[in-house]
Structures are given as C-alpha cells and as structure tokens.
C-alpha cells in the first residue's frame, strides 16, 4: 500500500478510533494556457503524482471534523448551521466544498476527516484544488453518494470562488478530478469537454519550484480577471455578441486595438494569443514535434512576463535558464503567477543534467535553492484501496 495512505489511515485511527476510507486527488502542472480558463478558453494541464489524501469515515450526526496533518490543526463545522462565509483559514477549502455540495443537492452525512498531502503548498501546483477535490471525494464517499468528476470540479470551483474568495477558473479542479495517467488534458473551458494528449515516454515534465511566493498574488489574480472582463466590455460594441475573450481572434483584437487602453489591450493580447498557443502545443505534441511545443511554451512565458505581467524575476530566471539548456524543448512559468514553479519539457535522458544546471544556476543567480521535481502525468481523483 501507498506509504502516504497508510500514514493518513494510521493518524485517522489514533484520532478517531475507526478504520477510514482514503480518497486521493492530485495536484497538477499546467503545460500551457495560463489565465485562459476563466476566459472560456483552452488549457493543457496534467495531473501529478503529488496528491492530497483524505482519510474519512461517516458520523451518525451532521458534524464535520477535519484534521490537517501538515497544519497540525483540527477544525469543526456543523452542516446544520453553516456559516455563509469562511473563517479565512485552510479549513475554508474543506467546509466550502461541503457547503457547495449541499447547495448542489448532495445531502451529506457528518464525517471525520484527516488530510495529508505531498503537494507543495502555495507553489502553483494547486494544492488548493487537490484539497477541494479530495475533500469532495471523501465527503461523497462517506455519504454513499457517487463522485461525478466534472460536476464535482464545478462545485469545488464554486467553493473556491464564493467561499474562499479566489476567483479561479475551472482548470485546477477539472484536471484534479479527471486527470489521466500518461496524458495531459486539452480542456475546452467553455464546453468542459477534454481530449487526452499523450505525453511520450521519452519526455519529462520537469518542475522547478522557485520557493518564491509574493503576498499580493491573490489580489493580482482577481485584478487580471477584471482586466479581461473590461476588455470584453470595451470590445463588444465593435465585435457584437462576444461572451468572453475566447470569442476574440488575435486579428480581431489588433483591428480594434484603438478601443482599449494600452494596459487592457496587453492583458487581452496575452489571452487571445495564449489560446492559439495551447492549440498549437496540442497539435505539436500529437505530431511528435516537441520543438514546436517547446517554442509555444517559451512564447507563453514571454507573454506572461511582458503582456500579462504575472511573472517575477526569480521565475523569469529559471525559465530563461532552462530555455538556454541543451535537452530542454521549452520552459515557462506554470500556475497563477507571482512566484511558484516553472515547467520545462525535457528529453528524458537529459533530466539529471538539466536539474543540476537549474539548481546550480539558481543558487548563483538568485541566491536561493530551487526544488526540482521530475514529473509524469498521473490519474485524477479516486479511492485508494487499503
Ligand atoms: P496552490 O493551490 O498553488 O498550492 P493556493 O494559495 O491556491 O496555492 O492554496 C494553498 C492553500 O491551500 C494553503 O495556504 C492552505 O490554506 C490550503 N491547503 C492546501 N493543502 C492543504 C492541506 N493539506 N492542509 C491544509 N491546508 C491546505
Ligand atoms: Mg490554488
């Protein structure tokens, strides 16, 4: 049995004195398509082997007790007297999911929960979605209800939007719920349909954690979203029935540039060109044209740096160092931005050498230690057999 699952089950036994089920939901790395999800666009993430586990067992009442091993804290919640807003701590992710599951018609039983994770927190690998989706899986299982991946992803997104107060798109929850081992998912965030994009066995997704996380990340994220909405509002008179930047081509944006203040124009240019790059990366991966996929990733990084302005000097350094290293097809920041991780598409045989170059270079260039993870796409949420 999985060591992390055994530890979580053991902790559960000590605290609550019964045998739990163990639900698992992974973190993710986004290969390309940043901030496009809430613009009804395209993204291409893969679920990771890093995951959050929730050991759980039902209670006869309507109380939820959740203990997080990494926080070493216990929080409680009464499903019959749910607070309308959270307490502004980690338990909001869990209780927000419970509230939104009930609002979506899933009548829950009380439960005891123990949370364990090996997803790095706050690094852009989506420990938040892993916590939401694993909690949803555990709560539904404890209540004898089915786990419907796409419906659950939407409910978890609602929890993060309306209970935690982070206006994230659907990508993280979707891939955590629906991921497929060996493949990235090309997700159409308007239709919520996805296609598997196999990652060839001679390719590795090398994740480098800058260990930098800027405090204002959440506020900046929401501000980017507002800039995109403002762009749609200003373009509507010229372009007619557009609902989101998904409906705007790069050509249409250029033709109507004069309608937009420069800052809004650049925000929009990132989104419309990024959507095109996601589709190009998908085509390239399927064709085995890894260089073309890498070029799209490099262009994505430049667009996030110059137009969307969501990178920072440390992740710029890591991405640019990787881009200049032999054996790397492409590299970019991954996740919401303002710190966090880069992802590089790397020839499997070059992983060790590239990792060393990134660690050494980052220490010299930025005076910090980068953690490197050599990742392969894993499955989405499910029950771990005990
Ligand atoms: P990311 O999703 O990139 O990791 P976020 O800021 O969106 O970063 O989410 C990180 C937050 O999620 C943490 O600060 C914490 O509140 C919560 N969280 C994630 N995993 C756990 C866990 N295992 N136990 C408690 N809280 C967690
Ligand atoms: Mg998150």
């Amino acid at each position: 049995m999985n060591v992390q699952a055994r530890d979580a089950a053991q902790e559960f036994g000590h605290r609550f004195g019964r045998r739990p089920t163990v639900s698992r939901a992974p973190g993710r790395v986004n290969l390309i398509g940043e901030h496009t999800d809430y613009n009804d666009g395209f993204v291409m993430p893969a679920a990771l082997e890093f995951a959050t586990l929730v050991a759980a067992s039902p209670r006869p009442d309507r109380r939820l007790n959740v203990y997080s091993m990494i926080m070493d804290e216990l929080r409680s919640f009464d499903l019959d007297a749910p607070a309308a807003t959270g307490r502004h701590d980690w338990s909001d992710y869990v209780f927000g999911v419970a509230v939104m599951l009930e609002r979506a018609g899933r009548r829950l039983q009380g439960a005891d929960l123990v949370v364990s994770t090996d997803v790095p927190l706050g690094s852009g690998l989506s420990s938040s979605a892993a916590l939401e989706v694993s909690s949803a899986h555990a709560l539904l299982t404890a209540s004898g209800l089915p786990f419907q991946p796409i419906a659950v992803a939407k409910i978890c997104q609602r929890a993060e939007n309306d209970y935690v107060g982070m206006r994230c798109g659907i990508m993280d929850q979707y891939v955590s719920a629906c991921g497929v081992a060996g493949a990235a998912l090309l997700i159409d965030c308007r239709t919520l349909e996805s296609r598997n994009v196999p990652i060839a066995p001679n390719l590795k997704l090398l994740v480098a954690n800058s260990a930098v996380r800027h405090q204002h990340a959440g506020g900046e994220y929401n501000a980017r979203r507002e800039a995109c909405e403002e762009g749609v509002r200003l373009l509507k008179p010229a372009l007619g029935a557009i609902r989101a930047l998904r409906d705007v081509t790069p050509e249409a944006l250029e033709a109507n540039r004069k309608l937009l203040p420069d800052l809004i124009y650049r925000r929009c240019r990132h989104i419309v060109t990024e959507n095109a790059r996601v589709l190009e990366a998908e085509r390239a991966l399927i064709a085995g044209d890894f260089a073309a996929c890498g070029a799209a990733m490099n262009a994505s990084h430049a667009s996030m740096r110059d137009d969307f302005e969501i990178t920072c000097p440390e992740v710029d350094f890591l991405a640019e160092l990787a881009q200049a290293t032999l054996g790397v097809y492409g590299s970019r920041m991954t996740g919401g931005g303002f710190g966090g991780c880069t992802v590089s598409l790397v020839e499997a045989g070059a992983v060790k050498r590239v990792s060393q170059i990134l660690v050494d270079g980052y220490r010299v260039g930025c005076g910090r230690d980068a953690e490197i993870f050599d990742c392969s796409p894993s499955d989405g949420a499910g029950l771990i057999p005990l």
Side-chain angles (χ1 to χ4, degrees):
M1 195 216 312
N2 171 316
V3 179
Q4 197 193 343
R6 190 197 58 205
D7 291 352
Q10 228 163 41
E11 180 69 35
F12 189 95
H14 289 147
R15 288 195 167 259
F16 299 113
R18 355 197 253 293
R19 272 172 63 85
T21 57
V22 179
S23 295
R24 168 189 179 277
R28 61 99 188 92
V29 62
N30 188 22
L31 269 71
I32 191 162
E34 221 62 75
H35 288 251
T36 42
D37 56 352
Y38 58 76
N39 288 293
D40 279 4
F42 303 105
V43 292
M44 199 165 72
L48 293 176
E49 282 148 342
F50 294 127
T52 298
L53 306 187
V54 179
S57 171
R59 295 172 54 88
D61 56 15
R62 291 257 295 160
R63 278 207 85 65
L64 298 178
N65 296 312
V66 56
Y67 174 74
S68 164
M69 292 173 67
I70 204 163
M71 299 294 181
D72 187 22
E73 285 175 346
L74 179 74
R75 293 282 184 268
S76 295
F77 190 81
D78 182 353
L79 286 166
D80 289 323
T85 55
R87 330 171 192 202
H88 305 291
D89 75 4
W90 63 268
S91 66
D92 289 353
Y93 294 95
V94 181
F95 299 143
V97 165
V99 166
M100 297 305 165
L101 280 169
E102 290 229 310
R103 279 196 203 159
R106 274 62 160 194
R107 170 84 182 172
L108 297 178
Q109 222 168 304
D112 295 321
L113 312 167
V114 166
V115 178
S116 150
T117 195
D118 62 0
V119 185
L121 265 59
S123 299
L125 301 183
S126 208
S127 69
S128 57
L131 178 57
E132 290 153 10
V133 175
S134 57
S135 296
H137 193 285
L139 290 168
L140 289 166
T141 302
S143 302
L145 295 169
F147 178 85
Q148 296 154 314
I150 295 177
V152 166
K154 287 164 76 174
I155 289 167
C156 289
Q157 182 200 12
R158 214 168 295 144
E160 188 152 344
N161 288 171
D162 297 345
Y163 204 84
V164 176
M166 170 70 176
R167 298 185 68 206
C168 60
I170 189 74
M171 168 172 69
D172 301 355
Q173 294 82 3
Y174 190 112
V175 68
S176 184
C178 306
V180 175
L185 294 188
L186 187 296
I187 305 169
D188 179 332
C189 298
R190 171 167 281 167
T191 64
L192 296 187
E193 288 164 341
S194 66
R195 306 187 280 268
N196 297 350
V197 184
I199 301 296
N202 56 338
L203 283 182
K204 284 287 185 180
L205 310 178
L206 201 66
V207 172
N209 188 352
S210 69
V212 172
R213 161 86 167 168
H214 291 280
Q215 273 308 309
H216 50 277
E220 289 284 352
Y221 187 100
N222 290 348
R224 292 302 179 283
R225 188 162 178 160
E226 279 155 25
C228 294
E229 287 163 357
E230 176 69 359
V232 171
R233 205 179 59 74
L234 294 171
L235 288 167
K236 255 189 186 149
L239 296 180
I242 55 168
R243 279 198 283 145
L245 289 178
R246 153 72 173 271
D247 302 312
V248 180
T249 61
E251 297 73 30
L253 179 67
E254 286 312 313
N256 292 286
R257 178 174 183 165
K258 61 184 179 310
L259 296 177
L260 305 175
D262 183 62
L263 186 75
I264 301 289
Y265 164 72
R266 286 189 295 116
R267 301 298 190 246
C268 294
R269 184 166 64 181
H270 166 71
I271 300 298
V272 303
T273 58
E274 185 80 348
N275 275 327
R277 283 186 291 268
V278 176
L279 298 176
E280 161 63 7
E282 181 200 25
R283 182 208 63 74
L285 275 181
I286 289 171
D289 186 353
F290 306 143
C293 180
M297 292 171 73
N298 295 347
S300 168
H301 186 85
S303 177
M304 292 190 288
R305 184 190 59 212
D306 302 335
D307 275 354
F308 220 56
E309 296 180 280
I310 53 171
T311 68
C312 65
E314 294 85 355
V315 297
D316 288 341
F317 183 93
L318 278 172
E320 284 156 22
L321 178 58
Q323 288 170 11
T325 300
L326 199 70
V328 177
Y329 293 108
S331 185
R332 60 185 286 281
M333 186 189 76
T334 185
F338 311 100
C341 293
T342 60
V343 58
S344 305
L345 193 67
V346 178
E347 236 171 67
V351 159
K352 251 183 94 177
R353 182 174 49 77
V354 173
S355 303
Q356 199 58 53
I357 288 172
L358 292 181
V359 168
D360 294 346
Y362 193 55
R363 193 172 294 141
V364 172
C366 296
R368 290 171 178 274
D369 288 319
E371 243 184 314
I372 310 286
F373 310 111
D374 163 10
C375 302
S376 307
S378 89
D379 278 320
L383 208 57
I384 297 193
L386 286 185

